[in-house]
Amino acid sequence: MNPDASPELRQKLEEYWGLNDPIPVQYWKWVKRVAVGDFGISFSTDRRPVAEKIRQALPITLLLNAMSLFLIMLLSIPIGIYSATNPYTFGDRAATVFVFLGFAMPTFWLALLCMMLFGVELGWLPISGLKSLDYESMSWLGQIADRARHLVLPVGIASLTSLAGLSRYMRSSMLEVVRQDYITTARAKGLSERAVIYRHALRNALLPVVTILGLSIPGLIGGSVIFETIFAIPGMGRLFYDGVMQRDYMVVMGVLVMGAVLTLLGNLLADLMYAVVDPRLRK
């Protein structure tokens, strides 16, 4: 990073970090270290192990993404069911407008607007970090409330785009299911509309949604780079951004590996949810 570094110093640094080795040799050394959980030492001035940085940042990102997924499922499934069971009504059209706005609105732009409105103009919510400066002097109830206030904006904004898309997928899937013959038979037997929708139609309608939900997990992890940087949250996204800005390749590679692992775990979670939604798949 120092433009005044002498050629001799550059050569010594290349030898120290092994950057003068052929690319396949560098990659093989890196793979052997990663296999035992060693992501190397950070290039930054703190000279900390990358694995230690990831251990500190990973729980924060997992918490944010778990809360976002919970909020997405909590809101998108009822919205999709309502739109499917009340098609072309005012509520369905309002949900459609909401979906288009959710798809079209850039996350970083919405985050900045919310920070200006709720944080600067109204002063209702904090706009950075995970806790206030006087956090340690608060009671345990005050600490919980302070954490919750700090999470409102990042979790809400992280959920918006996926919420809009998933509610639309839920609507389409439910519309297809309620037209099946077994749903007509259930209604002919005299079952209430609530029993028909929630006992017979919902599980089958959830199968495509579970697939989309599993595929949305990588998007949430990638989106962490945006909102963790904007809200100054010390998670994996912020760690990755700082690593790129500082050309800290060890950190960048470590975060990318963890992102790949979380993506695979997300797909595994989707497969396990199939068995929960459809008991026939457990056999």
Side-chain angles (χ1 to χ4, degrees):
M1 297 296 289
N2 185 1
D4 299 326
S6 64
E8 292 78 12
L9 177 59
R10 293 174 60 90
Q11 183 178 359
K12 288 182 180 180
L13 288 175
E14 289 176 356
E15 293 176 357
Y16 178 78
W17 293 107
L19 301 177
N20 55 347
D21 294 332
I23 295 297
V25 174
Q26 293 185 46
Y27 180 71
W28 175 243
K29 290 180 178 179
W30 178 79
V31 168
K32 288 194 298 183
R33 291 197 306 267
V34 170
V36 295
D38 181 11
F39 293 101
I41 303 297
S42 173
F43 286 177
S44 60
T45 55
D46 59 10
R47 306 281 296 144
R48 292 168 58 201
V50 175
E52 181 182 332
K53 290 188 172 184
I54 291 177
R55 278 196 298 269
Q56 291 181 350
L58 183 59
I60 297 173
T61 298
L62 290 179
L63 173 64
L64 292 175
N65 283 280
M67 295 180 67
S68 298
L69 282 175
F70 176 77
L71 183 61
I72 289 168
M73 295 180 65
L74 183 66
L75 297 179
S76 63
I77 293 177
I79 291 174
I81 293 174
Y82 174 82
S83 296
T85 54
N86 300 274
Y88 312 115
T89 61
F90 174 79
D92 180 38
R93 297 184 187 278
T96 302
V97 172
F98 167 74
V99 167
F100 285 131
L101 289 176
F103 274 127
M105 201 172 297
T107 305
F108 70 91
W109 179 75
L110 178 63
L112 293 175
L113 286 183
C114 290
M115 289 170 68
M116 291 178 60
L117 176 61
F118 298 108
V120 178
E121 297 294 334
L122 299 177
W124 291 351
L125 298 171
I127 60 175
S128 65
L130 290 175
K131 57 184 180 181
S132 302
L133 295 177
D134 58 343
Y135 177 81
E136 302 299 334
S137 62
M138 298 179 181
S139 64
W140 67 271
L141 189 60
Q143 290 180 348
I144 294 176
D146 184 68
R147 290 278 193 179
R149 291 178 66 246
H150 279 81
L151 290 172
V152 169
L153 285 180
V155 171
I157 292 171
S159 306
L160 179 61
T161 303
S162 297
L163 168 64
L166 201 64
S167 63
R168 211 61 184 167
Y169 285 116
M170 187 67 205
R171 178 186 185 274
S172 301
S173 180
M174 181 62 77
L175 277 176
E176 183 178 351
V177 169
V178 296
R179 295 167 182 165
Q180 300 297 317
D181 292 339
Y182 71 91
I183 297 297
T184 304
T185 303
R187 286 171 173 158
K189 289 167 61 178
L191 293 178
S192 65
E193 187 66 17
R194 183 180 182 86
V196 170
I197 295 300
Y198 290 98
R199 189 183 304 170
H200 295 276
L202 180 58
R203 280 198 170 186
N204 289 326
L206 282 175
L207 286 174
V209 176
V210 168
T211 304
I212 300 300
L213 185 64
L215 295 175
S216 68
I217 292 177
L220 286 173
I221 296 172
S224 300
V225 177
I226 297 176
F227 65 83
E228 285 183 5
T229 302
I230 293 176
F231 291 104
I233 297 174
M236 293 281 286
R238 176 67 180 272
L239 181 63
F240 179 78
Y241 176 81
D242 291 342
V244 171
M245 293 295 101
Q246 298 172 8
R247 300 183 184 179
D248 196 340
Y249 304 116
M250 294 293 186
V251 169
V252 172
M253 293 296 291
V255 173
L256 289 176
V257 169
M258 293 307 302
V261 170
L262 293 176
T263 300
L264 294 176
L265 291 177
N267 291 330
L268 176 61
L269 177 62
D271 291 338
L272 295 176
M273 289 178 65
Y274 284 145
V276 175
V277 173
D278 191 348
R280 295 172 298 177
L281 299 177
R282 301 174 192 170
K283 300 178 180 180

